[in-house]
């Protein structure tokens, strides 16, 4: 089952339950916060006109509006996510990053946080983000390493490597096909799974791995797993 299968994406984000369960895993993260690294990259681009794609419940769009005073439009393929973002006062619309309904050179910044690995045609999505950016505009794209939480997935017998189309390992090559300059910032930390049930709960919160949850063996003690995230900043040629 692939992360970029449209039916997987539809099921995964029909409600916020799975996303919220996965986010709660990071409440006890040790190490730097990738969301703050993403925020630093957003602030450094001093944007006035921002598009967030795959915005989910809209927290980042809301923060850009309130803290930076920029004009923000959020797009997400899930009607429920758009509803949640709108409840926060965000100008959120249902749409697909592969086919953006905006003229060329509309935005200074596009934000794509943990969403490009869900897109069936990655090159089309990146071409669309580059098209709607002005010359010199930036894409801030956040993703995971193929080894993110690898210790927990290894214990559960689940491999992700072949399924991630936009990752720490392959993201830079994809971005360089569409952008003039690309930088990569890796943010590593860890979380602790207290017991096997915690790993099962994590797997159950995903459409792609839930079938593996019930066969996770017991642990001898708490298991520490590495969180391995990457913030890419890609710039359109000025
Ligand atoms: C893992 S969530 C990330 C949400 C948010 N960006 C965050 O950082 O918490 C991925 C989001 O991308 C959206 N998505 C998936 N495929 C999409 C597409 N082709 N176009 C727009 N949004 C998409 C999903 O509906 C979901 O809300």
């Amino acid at each position: 089952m692939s992360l970029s299968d449209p039916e997987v994406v539809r099921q995964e984000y029909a409600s916020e339950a799975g996303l919220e369960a996965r986010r709660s895993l990071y409440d006890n993260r040790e190490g730097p916060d990738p969301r703050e690294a993403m925020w630093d990259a957003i602030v450094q681009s001093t944007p006035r006109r921002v598009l967030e794609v795959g915005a989910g419940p809209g927290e980042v769009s809301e923060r850009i509006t309130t803290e930076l005073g920029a004009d923000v439009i959020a797009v997400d393929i899930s009607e429920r996510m758009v509803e949640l973002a709108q409840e926060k006062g965000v100008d959120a619309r249902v749409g697909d990053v592969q086919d953006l309904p905006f003229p060329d050179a509309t935005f200074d910044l596009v934000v794509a946080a943990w969403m490009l690995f869900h897109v069936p045609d990655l090159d089309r999505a990146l071409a669309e983000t580059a098209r709607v950016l002005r010359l010199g505009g930036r894409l801030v794209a956040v993703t995971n390493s193929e080894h993110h939480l690898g210790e927990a997935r290894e214990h559960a017998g689940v491999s992700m490597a072949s399924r991630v189309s936009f990752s720490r390992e392959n993201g830079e090559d994809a971005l360089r096909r569409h952008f003039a300059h690309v930088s990569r910032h890796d943010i590593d930390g860890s979380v602790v799974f207290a017991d096997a049930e915690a790993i099962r709960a994590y797997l159950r919160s995903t459409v792609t791995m839930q079938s593996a949850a019930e066969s996770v063996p017991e642990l001898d003690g708490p298991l520490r797993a590495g969180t391995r995230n990457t913030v890419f900043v890609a710039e359109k040629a000025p």
Side-chain angles (χ1 to χ4, degrees):
M1 208 182 280
S2 163
L3 279 179
S4 58
D5 178 334
E7 181 53 22
V8 167
V9 172
R10 193 191 62 74
Q11 284 181 36
E12 190 78 79
Y13 301 105
S15 104
E16 61 275 32
L19 185 62
E20 283 181 359
R22 289 196 296 284
R23 284 177 171 185
S24 68
L25 176 68
Y26 303 108
D27 288 348
N28 70 358
R29 178 203 306 269
E30 285 182 26
D33 183 346
R35 289 193 175 270
E36 287 309 309
M38 168 177 69
W39 180 251
D40 290 346
I42 290 169
V43 171
Q44 280 162 21
S45 69
T46 60
R48 303 305 311 160
R49 300 164 303 162
V50 181
L51 173 66
E52 186 181 10
V53 290
E59 294 92 345
V60 176
S61 287
E62 182 185 27
R63 188 174 178 191
I64 294 170
T65 307
T66 56
E67 294 190 28
L68 303 185
D71 293 329
V72 183
I73 297 176
V75 165
D76 200 287
I77 207 160
S78 153
E79 286 182 18
R80 177 60 183 153
M81 294 298 152
V82 167
E83 191 176 76
L84 290 167
Q86 287 173 342
E87 285 170 9
K88 296 182 177 70
V90 173
D91 178 354
R93 308 165 188 192
V94 175
D96 187 337
V97 66
Q98 298 167 110
D99 190 12
L100 292 170
F102 306 106
D104 297 359
T106 304
F107 301 101
D108 306 312
L109 172 70
V110 176
V111 178
W114 288 280
M115 67 80 63
L116 286 169
F117 46 63
H118 281 314
V119 176
D121 188 338
L122 177 63
D123 277 302
R124 188 169 155 186
L126 293 176
E128 276 292 83
T129 59
R131 181 185 66 75
V132 300
L133 280 168
R134 67 164 167 78
L135 299 181
R138 291 180 185 173
L139 167 66
V140 172
V142 190
T143 190
N144 298 334
S145 163
E146 288 166 5
H147 305 289
H148 179 65
L149 301 179
E151 296 84 351
R153 287 188 282 111
E154 192 175 331
H155 180 77
V158 178
S159 163
M160 288 289 285
S162 60
R163 301 182 202 162
V164 184
S165 57
F166 184 82
S167 64
R168 169 184 292 185
E169 288 77 12
N170 62 21
E172 190 164 337
D173 286 347
L175 290 165
R176 286 194 187 285
R177 293 197 288 272
H178 300 272
F179 292 89
H181 304 286
V182 180
S183 67
R184 171 181 147 180
H185 179 199
D186 294 340
I187 303 103
D188 290 342
S190 65
V191 291
V192 172
F193 290 87
D195 51 27
E197 189 50 31
I199 299 178
R200 291 181 197 122
Y202 169 68
L203 298 178
R204 278 190 213 107
S205 74
T206 73
V207 171
T208 50
M209 297 187 285
Q210 61 190 8
S211 61
E214 302 324 310
S215 46
V216 174
E218 294 304 321
L219 287 169
D220 296 332
L223 182 146
R224 182 173 294 278
T227 56
R228 301 168 175 101
N229 309 107
T230 294
V231 177
F232 290 107
V233 179
E235 192 170 307
K236 187 167 169 174

